[in-house]
Amino acid sequence: MTRNVVIGFLGTQLDGGLSPARWEKWRPTVSLVQHDDMVVDRVELIHSSQHTALAELLARDMASVSPETEVRLHVMDVANPWDFGEVYAALYDWARAYAFDTGGERYWAHITTGTHVGQICMFLMVESRFIPGVLLQTSPPRRQRQGDPGSYTLIDLDLSRYDALAQRFNQAHTEAQDFLKSGIATRNASFNALIDEIERVAVRSRAPILLTGPTGAGKSHLARRMFELKQSRHQVSGAFVEVNCATLRGDGAASTLFGHRKGAFTGAVADRPGLLRNADGGVLFLDEIGELGLDEQAMLLKAVEDKRFRPMGGDKEVSSDFQLIAGTHRDLRQDVQAGRFREDLFARINLWSYTLPGLARRPEDIEPTLDYLLALAVAEGGRSVRFHAEARQRYLQFAKSTQAPWSGNFRDLTASVTRLVTLAEGGRISLALVEAEIQRLQWFWAREPVAQDEQAVDLDALLPDPLRAGLDLFDRLQLEAVVRLCRQSSSLSDAGRRLFDQSRTQRTVVNDADRLRKYLLKHGLSWDRVTGR
Ligand SMILES: Nc1ncnc2c1ncn2[C@@H]1O[C@H](COP(=O)(O)OP(=O)(O)O)[C@@H](O)[C@H]1O
Ligand SMILES: [Mg+2]
C-alpha cells in the first residue's frame, strides 16, 4: 500500500493557540489528519527552533485525533523567514537531504501554512520536482464548528490543465521573439538561436549589450525593439534615447552626451541635461560607439559603472540609471589593440555581445524577408502588387546566389523592393522588370569598394548538408581559400592554372581544371555553385 506523506511548514498564526479554546478554531495542520476520506500516514512538519513548543503541541494534538499518523518534526532556522533566497536555500537543502521513496510513498506539499515566501518556495520545489509530489491546499469550513476539518484540494502540476498555463508562458516567449524579428519568419537556425537568446537577455538583464554587424543588418532596429519589449513588460520607466556617435564631434560631443551647465563654454547660454540624463530609467542606444573619442569613452565608462557623472562645467555630479545598448560595424577588438578604443570600456560592454549576420550569410531568410517587405510596401503604397511566378523565381534565384552580396543588407533589399513595387505595371512585377532590377543591383554593387579578397566565404551556406558537419578545420581553411581564388578567377582553367602552378611543371599530362573540378566535387561543390556564374 502506498503511504501518504504531507510535507508542510508550521503556521505560526493559523496553527497557533495553546489554550483548550484552540480546538474551536480551524487549524490547517491539525485538519490534515481529521478528514475521513484522506488517510495521512505521516506528517513532516517544518518549524523554527523558536516555535518548538507549538510544534510539539501540534504533534500531540494530531496524535490524539489520528493515532495512526506519525508526525516528525524538523527544525529549519533562517535568519529572515521573509528573505526569499534564504528560505529557498534552506528548503532546497532539506529536500536534497530527504530520503524520498517514490515507490512506496506519495508526497503532498502543504502550501496553506508558512510565510508567503515559504509557500512560494514550496511551490517551486514541487514544480521543479525537487519534492516529487503534488501540492496540497487546505481551506477552513464555511462555518466554524468544532471538529470540522474544512476542505482540501490536491493540485498536480503535471496535469494537462497546468500544462496549458505553461504553454501560455511559452507562447509569450514565442511572441516576444516574433516581435524582435518584426514577424519575419526567418529560417536560419543560427539567427533564430541568436534572437532567442537576445529575447531572454532583453527581458532579464539591465547590463550593457553590444550589437555588431554590417551596416543595414538591423542593429538600430533591434535596439529599439528590445526597448519596446522591455516596455511591454513594464521593465523601463524612461525613454529610448538614440544617437549616432559618428555625428558627435569635438567639444559638442561631451556636452551632447553628458550635458552642460550654463556658461560652461561660449554658447552655453542655458543648462542642458544631455542624452545620458534623458535616458534615465530607460535605454541609451549609442550607435557606432567605435567613433566615440577616448575622453568621452572614459566618461561613459564611469557613468555606466557608477550611474553618476559630471556635466561639462558643473561641479556637482548628477545621476542617471540607464541601460546601455551599443552598436558598431567595426571590430572593436582591433580598435582596442590599435589604441582607438578603451579596453576597460570594451570589457564592460562586451558581456552580452551579439553579431547580426548580413543577409548574404543567411540566404534562406531572403524569401521571408522579401515577402515581409513586399507586404509592407503594398500597405504603404495602398495598391496591391504581386510577382509573376517566374519573375519571383528569377529574383529569388539571383538574390540567394553568391552574385548578390547584399552589402547594404536590409537597406538594399528594401530599396530593391520599393523600386519593383513602384515600377510594376498593373499590379504585376514582370520578368523584364526583375531582369532590369538585377542589372541595376549588379551595377550598384560593382561600384562598392569591397575588395574581393576580403569578402568572407560562407562555407556553411555553400556546402551541402551532410558534408558541412564532417569537415575538419584544416579542410575548411583550405576550401575557403580555394573558393575565394575561384571567385577571383575568370574561368575554371584559369583557377586551376593558378592553384597548381608548381606541380604542373613537373607533370607530363596537365589538366589543372580537372584536378580542381574533382577537388570541389569531393566537397559536393561545382564551379557554378562556388562562383555563382
Ligand atoms: N528585422 C527587421 N525588420 C524590419 N525592418 C528592419 C529589420 N532590421 C532592419 N530593418 C530596417 O532596415 C533598415 C536598416 O536597419 P538598421 O537597424 O538601421 O541597420 P543598422 O543599424 O545595422 O545599420 C531600417 O530601415 C530598419 O528599420
Ligand atoms: Mg544603425
Side-chain angles (χ1 to χ4, degrees):
M1 264 263 294
T2 314
R3 295 157 56 79
N4 297 328
V5 180
V6 176
I7 299 167
F9 287 108
L10 173 132
T12 55
Q13 301 296 320
L14 291 175
D15 287 332
L18 303 173
S19 73
R22 69 183 185 273
W23 287 106
E24 280 156 32
K25 72 166 202 171
W26 177 73
R27 291 180 292 167
T29 298
V30 177
S31 82
L32 292 171
V33 300
Q34 289 179 305
H35 291 278
D36 295 334
D37 61 342
M38 172 170 87
V39 178
V40 175
D41 297 285
R42 194 165 75 245
V43 173
E44 308 283 9
L45 188 61
I46 303 171
H47 65 90
S48 68
S49 39
Q50 195 194 333
H51 294 104
T52 302
L54 178 60
E56 284 169 351
L57 178 71
L58 283 176
R60 280 198 300 279
D61 285 351
M62 282 191 272
S64 73
V65 290
S66 174
E68 66 282 5
T69 305
E70 179 193 359
V71 178
R72 291 190 196 159
L73 302 183
H74 301 268
V75 174
M76 182 183 294
D77 280 319
V78 290
N80 178 2
W82 293 97
D83 182 294
F84 182 82
E86 267 187 64
V87 178
Y88 186 84
L91 189 59
Y92 174 83
D93 289 344
W94 184 90
R96 289 310 288 253
Y98 189 90
F100 289 104
D101 166 21
T102 46
E105 300 184 335
R106 232 182 248 123
Y107 299 97
W108 294 335
H110 190 204
I111 52 166
T112 307
T113 46
T115 61
H116 288 139
V117 175
Q119 293 169 13
I120 292 167
C121 291
M122 192 65 91
F123 171 88
L124 290 174
M125 284 293 131
V126 172
E127 202 216 9
S128 59
R129 313 273 324 146
F130 286 119
I131 292 180
V134 302
L135 298 174
L136 170 62
Q137 197 177 25
T138 51
S139 350
R142 234 162 263 179
R143 256 178 295 120
Q144 295 251 347
R145 256 183 301 123
Q146 184 158 349
D148 187 338
S151 56
Y152 67 90
T153 320
L154 291 172
I155 304 165
D156 184 350
L157 295 176
D158 286 342
L159 286 183
S160 50
R161 60 196 157 118
Y162 298 104
D163 242 21
L165 285 183
Q167 264 169 21
R168 271 167 61 180
F169 285 117
N170 286 342
Q171 196 185 341
H173 187 60
T174 311
E175 278 167 10
Q177 284 174 27
D178 270 2
F179 178 77
L180 288 178
K181 298 195 296 184
S182 309
I184 304 174
T186 53
R187 298 169 193 163
N188 181 278
S190 50
F191 182 72
N192 281 323
L194 184 86
I195 292 293
D196 175 62
E197 183 175 321
I198 291 178
E199 183 256 328
R200 276 177 285 160
V201 171
V203 296
R204 290 185 200 166
S205 173
R206 296 216 356 111
I209 294 174
L210 177 62
L211 300 176
T212 61
T215 174
K219 303 179 292 291
S220 308
H221 180 83
L222 187 60
R224 181 177 288 279
R225 286 256 156 181
M226 281 159 82
F227 168 78
E228 287 167 358
L229 185 61
K230 289 169 103 69
Q231 210 174 28
S232 74
R233 302 278 171 97
H234 310 283
Q235 284 164 330
V236 284
S237 54
F240 181 75
V241 176
E242 177 179 10
V243 66
N244 187 330
C245 297
T247 65
L248 303 175
R249 286 271 171 254
D251 288 346
S255 143
T256 305
L257 290 171
F258 306 98
H260 62 233
R261 290 269 168 263
K262 182 177 168 181
F265 49 85
T266 340
V269 290
D271 282 1
R272 178 183 187 182
L275 298 180
L276 267 67
R277 278 282 276 174
N278 292 344
D280 193 10
V283 168
L284 177 67
F285 176 52
L286 291 184
D287 203 0
E288 299 306 349
I289 196 170
E291 308 301 321
L292 207 58
L294 286 166
D295 290 344
E296 287 79 22
Q297 289 175 26
M299 293 169 74
L300 178 64
L301 178 63
K302 181 181 180 327
V304 168
E305 292 195 323
D306 304 348
K307 307 192 193 323
R308 302 188 70 75
F309 56 91
R310 200 191 301 277
M312 304 293 98
D315 44 12
K316 273 202 292 256
E317 288 196 329
V318 296
S319 73
S320 176
D321 187 4
F322 58 88
Q323 178 172 20
L324 177 66
I325 302 182
T328 182
H329 71 281
R330 306 170 61 112
D331 184 348
L332 287 185
R333 230 173 271 274
Q334 269 176 19
D335 285 355
V336 167
Q337 248 149 35
R340 277 191 302 264
F341 201 82
R342 289 186 64 109
E343 192 171 6
D344 45 11
L345 179 61
F346 177 64
R348 194 79 178 85
I349 61 178
N350 194 37
L351 167 67
W352 298 112
S353 148
Y354 298 102
T355 302
L356 299 186
L359 262 186
R361 307 197 58 165
R362 40 187 190 105
E364 62 272 60
D365 284 351
I366 289 183
E367 190 168 1
T369 309
L370 174 69
D371 288 338
Y372 164 83
L373 289 174
L374 207 54
L376 201 67
V378 165
E380 276 167 9
R383 72 193 181 108
S384 141
V385 178
R386 288 167 56 192
F387 272 100
H388 270 303
E390 69 275 40
R392 179 182 168 95
Q393 216 170 15
R394 169 74 181 115
Y395 187 80
L396 282 172
Q397 179 247 331
F398 167 78
K400 292 200 250 182
S401 75
T402 48
Q403 281 178 294
W406 294 115
S407 36
N409 295 298
F410 234 89
R411 278 195 196 97
D412 281 359
L413 192 55
T414 310
S416 178
V417 169
T418 306
R419 284 191 293 265
L420 289 172
V421 167
T422 310
L423 295 175
E425 296 291 350
R428 278 284 184 278
I429 300 170
S430 66
L431 189 56
L433 192 53
V434 163
E435 294 295 355
E437 174 60 21
I438 289 174
Q439 284 199 356
R440 195 196 291 255
L441 284 168
Q442 275 173 328
W443 180 86
F444 179 69
W445 287 324
R447 269 144 198 79
E448 299 244 316
V450 190
Q452 274 279 333
D453 57 358
E454 279 169 27
Q455 254 179 34
V457 172
D458 188 358
L459 282 187
D460 291 330
L462 210 55
L463 287 170
D465 251 320
L467 292 173
R468 191 181 305 152
L471 210 57
D472 277 328
L473 180 63
F474 177 85
D475 292 316
R476 189 171 266 273
L477 292 175
Q478 186 177 40
L479 188 57
E480 272 179 21
V482 170
V483 167
R484 194 172 295 129
L485 186 132
C486 287
R487 290 180 182 169
Q488 291 159 9
S489 306
S490 57
S491 66
L492 184 69
S493 312
D494 176 33
R497 260 195 304 279
R498 293 166 65 183
L499 281 165
F500 304 114
D501 79 320
Q502 292 304 309
S503 55
R504 69 199 304 263
T505 57
Q506 291 149 25
R507 273 177 294 130
T508 43
V509 185
V510 182
N511 197 340
D512 302 322
D514 205 32
R515 211 171 152 191
L516 174 58
R517 191 183 293 119
K518 282 183 183 143
Y519 172 80
L520 293 175
L521 195 64
K522 195 175 88 187
H523 295 290
L525 297 173
S526 65
W527 172 258
D528 289 356
R529 170 104 183 114
V530 162
T531 57
R533 286 173 210 169

